[in-house]
Amino acid sequence: MRSVAIIGIGQTKIEEQWEKSIREIAVEAIYAALKDAGRESAESLFVGNMMSGIINSQNNLGPLVADWAGLKVPAVKVEAACGSGGAALRSALMAVSSGELDSALVVGVEKMTDRHPHEVTAALATAADADYEVEMGVSFVGLNALIMRRYMHEYGWKHADFAPFAINAHANAMHNPYARLHHKITVEDFEKSAMIATPVNLLDASPIGDGAAALYMVPADSVRDSTRVLIAGSSSATDTLALHDRSEPLFLNAAFKSVQEAYRQAEVGPDDIDVFELHDAFTIMSALSLEACGFADRGQGPRLGLDGNITPTGSIPVMTRGGLKARGHPVGATGVYQVVEVVQQLRGECGETQVPEARIGMAQNIGGSGATIVTHILKLG
Amino acid sequence: MRSVAIIGIGQTKIEEQWEKSIREIAVEAIYAALKDAGRESAESLFVGNMMSGIINSQNNLGPLVADWAGLKVPAVKVEAACGSGGAALRSALMAVSSGELDSALVVGVEKMTDRHPHEVTAALATAADADYEVEMGVSFVGLNALIMRRYMHEYGWKHADFAPFAINAHANAMHNPYARLHHKITVEDFEKSAMIATPVNLLDASPIGDGAAALYMVPADSVRDSTRVLIAGSSSATDTLALHDRSEPLFLNAAFKSVQEAYRQAEVGPDDIDVFELHDAFTIMSALSLEACGFADRGQGPRLGLDGNITPTGSIPVMTRGGLKARGHPVGATGVYQVVEVVQQLRGECGETQVPEARIGMAQNIGGSGATIVTHILKLG
């Protein structure tokens, strides 16, 4: 397999973009990535998207976006629920590393805010098991609430112990112009926010949004730039789709398998990771990801937040651009946003939330309540 | 890139499978492919599917199907409308040829018959441009009707001239136990069948259905069997999603680009193709595919049928197992069915519709009205 480098990134602000269609949002990010890469086209396009068929009455996004971008190239959509962006990136990576392609564009895009929230809630629930979970009345937030409730019970945490995850996200998003939310929050805000599905309240949960992120990849040996960003590790793994089928519902087994393989490929371990863009769709997911990836013992994820270790100057900086919580979570786009943000960190472009001397970064994208996990490790050099 | 071989195939009968869920249908085909390959698992699973999010309220099919099959392996869904099966196969091929995987399962699955036909019609229309085609009231059948009407006008064909495509499909399906339709038709039947969207009538159009097809691939050098089937060419291409944006709406430019690249990779031309499973979603698509792939001049596709050249003993046998028209068209599964059927031909397993001494076969899968085209060429040896 050939080594692959990312030479261009692009993203749109995440917001309610009612005046733009899904194709326009996708192409805005693509053009930014092309400009950043100094290229005019690529040999192929990979689109990460979860719910355009349901929400936008539009499948076949591959040719739609390729055409609108003025690229008459092979294009395909990859779907793995909220893990779609990371999965699309991996598909592109395989095609470039195989030698089939010498350049590839990846775009993650989602346009979610045109429809009534109950329709979006139903669309998000398609990430869970339709026959054995959703049929019983549980929503996607509800599944995360079940996990969080049990986790608090097993390990003795109270709700406020999860506040640092949300507070850190909001603080960092203040400095990210592409973030959906630009306001700081306190522990009091966190505790008083509206309940959604006990114990998950509004500030445990990430906001949806319309947005796209894109990146441009080429074989590493075609780039001699000392600031090139290499994809040093890439791995995906699956667990049962239904939460109740897991022997350990409080441990992200697929994250563990995925990250172990990514560490092996990149020849690094948790101590080597300078920045970690994790999938904080809900605060409980931050804790579980940190544990599965070896940054905390089981049940001890919240301790990292409480001890101040997750900020940009902490031992394991997470959500440095706002995370899903405050940058926003346009579901099928999120996995690409995460990698774009790691690239920004490795390039030293993050200003007030820059992680000092970041050379190795990781992004982990989750589809469903832990069913699909895609992990990427990037290295400068 | 490593050469890749297909060593196992499986499929379900296409019908109204109301008593089975989408996961059960997919796993039935997977188990058949595993048995055929003599394997118990694979390193990864690639699912081709178009509309489970809309029709089955289920996304994230990768982990769903992997879990139900008892395979705890990385899994992802690839979508390119009715070209999803071929696109999923190509994703798997990249991963195996890159060296990332030493084995991969591909399953194409669709379960369409649980919902009211008007919902299925709306779901099929997501293959077209939602904003500029469907918004104007055109259905997917309607788009094909526009193409067929114009084609008949430009080249002087009458409706009955397309009958041989449907007659050949139905005749061949009689000998395929997995086919949805098992009755022969005549020119009179063809001409008298119910009108859907002028000039497309019921016997121009392929029936939907519930079904799955699967295949198992490994690096070619790991198989020494003389009956191994190699993937000698694989290519995809795109055109505009919207029909009205094409400068030549009567020529499948993406099919031309895709097949030219596949011919180049396989070092063959049209004269070398012994069997061609084309994408006869509508009779007009058979004509256009034959022309784009070099088997007929522009506007002359129907001549091949009228002259008796498309039957299993003709110069270019197509739809040898019934095609989309009579085997059935479970949309996201179709591209995998086509390749499975080409493998059956190369292995000499097709009985009464066996193409004599078939050694090189081709499958072409189309998403949208020609927007995504995926072509595969298989060789024995």
Side-chain angles (χ1 to χ4, degrees):
Chain A
M1 288 178 64
R2 299 196 291 188
S3 181
V4 173
I6 296 171
I7 63 164
I9 54 174
Q11 56 188 316
T12 75
K13 182 169 177 2
I14 296 173
E15 54 193 335
E16 292 181 354
Q17 302 201 38
W18 293 2
E19 77 293 354
K20 289 183 188 166
S21 67
I22 190 168
R23 75 188 81 192
E24 291 173 300
I25 296 170
V27 170
E28 186 179 328
I30 286 173
Y31 280 0
L34 283 170
K35 186 178 176 189
D36 187 46
R39 303 285 183 113
E40 295 198 341
S41 185
E43 289 182 9
S44 191
L45 171 69
F46 297 80
V47 182
N49 171 271
M50 173 182 173
M51 55 175 67
S52 73
I54 304 172
I55 294 293
N56 315 110
S57 301
Q58 183 70 71
N59 275 307
N60 224 353
L61 278 188
L64 180 81
V65 174
D67 179 31
W68 198 255
L71 309 167
K72 291 278 176 61
V73 298
V76 76
K77 166 181 151 179
V78 179
E79 189 271 321
C82 305
S84 299
L89 196 166
R90 244 183 85 71
S91 287
L93 176 64
M94 292 301 104
V96 176
S97 66
S98 74
E100 169 82 4
L101 302 175
D102 285 327
S103 62
L105 268 165
V106 181
V107 65
V109 62
E110 205 78 65
K111 180 162 172 58
M112 309 171 70
T113 68
D114 289 356
R115 302 285 280 270
H116 191 280
H118 79 73
E119 294 177 283
V120 178
T121 300
L124 286 166
T126 63
D129 191 316
D131 297 339
Y132 295 98
E133 291 183 323
V134 184
E135 184 73 15
M136 304 300 143
V138 74
S139 67
F140 195 65
V141 182
L143 284 170
N144 282 274
L146 291 171
I147 301 172
M148 188 173 184
R149 168 70 81 199
R150 184 74 200 173
Y151 184 92
M152 290 165 68
H153 171 79
E154 282 296 330
Y155 297 112
W157 298 107
K158 57 187 189 298
H159 183 259
D161 295 330
F162 294 84
F165 292 122
I167 291 170
N168 175 57
H170 277 261
N172 294 340
M174 296 290 289
H175 308 287
N176 179 3
Y178 301 105
R180 173 147 197 198
L181 303 178
H182 286 123
H183 63 275
K184 287 196 176 189
I185 61 168
T186 64
V187 177
E188 291 67 39
D189 296 330
F190 184 76
E191 284 301 279
K192 286 181 184 167
S193 77
M195 187 54 65
I196 302 174
T198 327
V200 172
N201 73 21
L202 191 65
L203 290 179
D204 285 295
S206 54
I208 64 162
D210 307 331
L215 51 84
Y216 194 104
M217 63 174 75
V218 295
D221 61 13
S222 69
V223 196
R224 294 290 168 210
D225 188 343
S226 64
T227 64
R228 69 180 180 173
V229 174
L230 302 174
I231 302 178
S234 170
S235 176
S236 70
T238 64
D239 203 340
T240 68
L241 192 61
L243 182 59
H244 58 251
D245 282 335
R246 295 184 202 152
S247 55
E248 300 181 293
L250 298 183
F251 187 71
L252 294 175
N253 264 301
F256 177 77
K257 285 200 279 188
S258 168
V259 81
Q260 288 297 319
E261 172 61 16
Y263 283 155
R264 191 193 64 75
Q265 290 175 10
E267 299 178 342
V268 299
D271 292 346
D272 301 308
I273 303 298
D274 298 315
V275 55
F276 179 25
E277 290 303 331
L278 51 71
H279 192 95
D280 57 317
F282 300 93
T283 52
I284 180 64
M285 279 292 140
S286 300
L288 296 186
S289 279
L290 286 164
E291 295 166 23
C293 296
F295 299 104
D297 290 336
R298 290 194 189 198
Q300 299 308 309
R303 176 59 53 204
L304 287 169
L306 292 167
D307 289 350
N309 291 319
I310 61 171
T311 63
T313 54
S315 60
I316 180 61
V318 297
M319 320 160 204
T320 63
R321 306 296 282 158
L324 281 62
K325 177 67 200 81
R327 173 241 294 135
H329 183 27
V331 289
T334 288
V336 185
Y337 271 98
Q338 293 175 309
V339 173
V340 162
E341 291 164 353
V342 170
V343 172
Q344 289 184 307
Q345 283 287 356
L346 301 188
R347 287 179 176 178
E349 297 175 349
C350 295
E352 305 212 28
T353 63
Q354 178 65 46
V355 173
E357 298 180 39
R359 294 191 59 82
I360 302 177
M362 184 160 77
Q364 187 167 73
N365 194 198
I366 304 183
S369 61
T372 302
I373 314 252
V374 187
T375 309
H376 283 98
I377 296 176
L378 309 185
K379 276 185 184 176
L380 201 61
Chain B
M1 288 177 65
R2 299 196 291 187
S3 181
V4 173
I6 296 171
I7 62 164
I9 54 173
Q11 56 188 316
T12 74
K13 183 169 177 1
I14 296 172
E15 53 193 336
E16 292 182 352
Q17 301 201 38
W18 292 2
E19 77 293 355
K20 289 182 187 166
S21 67
I22 190 168
R23 75 188 81 191
E24 291 173 299
I25 296 170
V27 170
E28 186 180 328
I30 287 172
Y31 280 0
L34 283 170
K35 187 178 175 190
D36 187 47
R39 302 286 183 110
E40 294 197 340
S41 186
E43 289 181 10
S44 191
L45 171 69
F46 297 79
V47 182
N49 172 270
M50 173 182 173
M51 55 176 65
S52 74
I54 304 171
I55 293 292
N56 315 110
S57 301
Q58 183 70 72
N59 275 307
N60 224 353
L61 278 189
L64 180 80
V65 173
D67 179 31
W68 198 255
L71 309 167
K72 291 279 177 59
V73 298
V76 77
K77 166 183 151 178
V78 179
E79 188 270 322
C82 305
S84 299
L89 196 167
R90 244 182 85 71
S91 287
L93 175 65
M94 292 301 104
V96 176
S97 66
S98 75
E100 168 82 4
L101 302 176
D102 285 327
S103 62
L105 268 165
V106 180
V107 64
V109 62
E110 205 77 64
K111 180 163 171 58
M112 309 171 72
T113 69
D114 290 355
R115 302 284 280 269
H116 191 281
H118 78 74
E119 294 177 283
V120 178
T121 299
L124 287 165
T126 64
D129 190 317
D131 296 341
Y132 295 97
E133 290 183 323
V134 184
E135 184 74 14
M136 304 300 144
V138 74
S139 68
F140 196 65
V141 182
L143 285 169
N144 282 275
L146 291 171
I147 300 172
M148 188 173 183
R149 168 69 81 198
R150 184 75 199 172
Y151 184 91
M152 290 165 68
H153 172 79
E154 283 295 331
Y155 298 112
W157 298 106
K158 57 185 189 300
H159 183 258
D161 295 331
F162 294 84
F165 293 122
I167 291 170
N168 175 57
H170 277 261
N172 293 340
M174 295 290 289
H175 308 288
N176 179 2
Y178 301 105
R180 174 147 196 198
L181 303 179
H182 285 123
H183 63 273
K184 288 196 176 189
I185 61 167
T186 64
V187 177
E188 292 67 38
D189 297 330
F190 184 76
E191 283 301 279
K192 285 180 183 167
S193 78
M195 187 54 65
I196 303 174
T198 326
V200 171
N201 73 22
L202 192 65
L203 290 179
D204 284 296
S206 55
I208 64 162
D210 307 331
L215 50 85
Y216 194 105
M217 62 174 74
V218 295
D221 60 13
S222 68
V223 196
R224 294 290 168 210
D225 188 343
S226 64
T227 65
R228 68 179 180 174
V229 174
L230 302 174
I231 302 177
S234 171
S235 176
S236 70
T238 63
D239 203 339
T240 68
L241 192 60
L243 183 59
H244 58 252
D245 282 334
R246 296 184 201 151
S247 55
E248 299 181 293
L250 298 184
F251 187 72
L252 293 174
N253 264 301
F256 177 76
K257 285 199 279 187
S258 168
V259 81
Q260 288 297 319
E261 172 61 16
Y263 284 154
R264 191 192 64 74
Q265 290 176 10
E267 299 180 340
V268 298
D271 291 346
D272 300 309
I273 303 297
D274 298 315
V275 55
F276 179 25
E277 289 302 331
L278 51 72
H279 192 94
D280 56 317
F282 300 93
T283 52
I284 180 65
M285 279 292 140
S286 299
L288 297 185
S289 280
L290 286 164
E291 295 166 23
C293 296
F295 299 104
D297 291 336
R298 290 195 190 196
Q300 299 308 310
R303 176 60 52 205
L304 287 168
L306 293 167
D307 289 350
N309 290 320
I310 61 171
T311 64
T313 54
S315 61
I316 181 61
V318 298
M319 320 161 204
T320 64
R321 307 295 283 158
L324 281 62
K325 177 67 199 81
R327 174 242 294 135
H329 183 28
V331 289
T334 288
V336 185
Y337 271 99
Q338 293 176 309
V339 173
V340 162
E341 291 165 352
V342 170
V343 172
Q344 289 183 308
Q345 283 287 356
L346 300 188
R347 287 179 177 179
E349 298 174 349
C350 294
E352 304 212 29
T353 63
Q354 179 64 45
V355 172
E357 297 178 39
R359 294 192 59 83
I360 302 177
M362 183 160 78
Q364 187 167 72
N365 194 197
I366 305 183
S369 60
T372 302
I373 314 252
V374 187
T375 309
H376 284 97
I377 296 176
L378 309 185
K379 276 185 185 176
L380 200 61

